[in-house]
Amino acid sequence: MRLDPDELAAAGPFSKAERAAVYRAIETRRDVRGEFLPQRVPDAAIARLLEAAHHAPSVGLMQPWNFIVIRDLDRRRAIRDIVMRRNDEAAAMFEDERAAAYQRLKLEGIVEAPLNICVTCDRGRGGKVVLGRTHQRDTDLLSTACAVQNLFLAARAEGIGVGWVSIFEPDDLRPVLGLPDAVVPVAYLCVGYVAELFRRPELEARKWSKRLDLESLVFAEGWGSAWAFPEVG
């Protein structure tokens, strides 16, 4: 296949200010649960978030995602009720003090947020054989997760908070959202403006967990051999 030269553009780093903005969005992104403001998110802002999500990388350019924008309060209440039932099941999986700590956590803002977005993956998109998916079937799900991350980062740049709700079985949402058989929900997102964000991830601030040391997670050439991090000066 011949490539049109006009398809290529010069590569190079962003400016210092542009790089700083990208890293700031990454480092200050937070999963929002209880800090939503009632202010409506304009359709133009939603469109920008979805455009950013749609520019995510996808294996074989399969673009398996769809986005369901949900404002209707009754529909959100129905989904909140599903999550609450599943949350009770999840709480029973923890023991003693951990169970009590789990019950104190707020893990969703489905009704408090003025907007929900369900990001789905069409597992049949692209047909039976998709470039890059021939040996790793779940690359469609992984590609959809990349779209979710893009949406998170774009939202941070817009001053919009996003909370990822995952306490449900995928089939739980099927009747509420009318999902076809081949389509699975990958992320259910609560979206809205926020006045404040946690300086650290909320679960770290609330002593549930903490960020792992990066140096312990990076190996050189193979598993278990530590990579030598450069001196920061």
Side-chain angles (χ1 to χ4, degrees), residues 25 29-32 49 52-53 145-158 160-165 187 189-190:
R29 183 213 59 81
R30 294 291 176 263
D31 197 351
V32 178
L49 301 187
C146 289
V148 176
Q149 177 75 343
N150 271 21
L151 191 151
F152 256 106
L153 296 178
R156 179 65 191 93
E158 295 273 358
I160 295 172
V162 180
W164 187 332
V165 181
L189 306 176
C190 307

Side-chain angles (χ1 to χ4, degrees), residues 40-195:
R40 181 182 175 90
V41 180
D43 287 347
I46 298 171
R48 290 194 295 273
L49 301 187
L50 298 178
E51 188 71 28
H54 189 49
H55 275 78
S58 66
V59 173
L61 200 59
M62 71 179 89
Q63 305 163 78
W65 45 70
N66 284 87
F67 308 94
I68 303 175
V69 179
I70 306 163
R71 293 193 190 273
D72 181 72
L73 184 57
D74 289 339
R75 195 179 304 269
R76 289 189 285 131
R77 282 172 174 161
I79 293 171
R80 190 267 315 274
D81 291 345
I82 291 170
V83 170
M84 289 297 96
R85 290 197 300 271
R86 293 300 189 181
N87 190 60
D88 290 340
E89 295 174 0
M93 298 178 189
F94 296 97
E95 296 180 356
D96 304 327
E97 294 181 3
R98 198 69 163 169
Y102 180 90
Q103 293 281 28
R104 290 194 294 269
L105 293 173
K106 180 174 177 54
L107 298 178
E108 56 80 26
I110 295 171
V111 173
E112 292 88 342
L115 171 70
N116 295 176
I117 299 176
C118 185
V119 186
T120 65
C121 176
D122 184 343
R123 308 217 68 185
R125 189 163 296 168
K128 292 183 178 181
V129 181
V130 178
L131 187 155
R133 194 186 175 201
T134 53
H135 292 77
Q136 295 191 38
R137 173 169 170 73
D138 288 347
T139 52
D140 58 342
L141 298 172
L142 301 176
S143 297
T144 304
C146 289
V148 176
Q149 177 75 343
N150 271 21
L151 191 151
F152 256 106
L153 296 178
R156 179 65 191 93
E158 295 273 358
I160 295 172
V162 180
W164 187 332
V165 181
S166 60
I167 309 171
F168 55 83
E169 295 286 351
D171 283 346
D172 290 342
L173 302 189
R174 196 168 297 285
V176 183
L177 299 177
L179 302 180
D181 289 343
V183 172
V184 297
V186 170
Y188 193 89
L189 306 176
C190 307
V191 182
Y193 289 103
V194 290

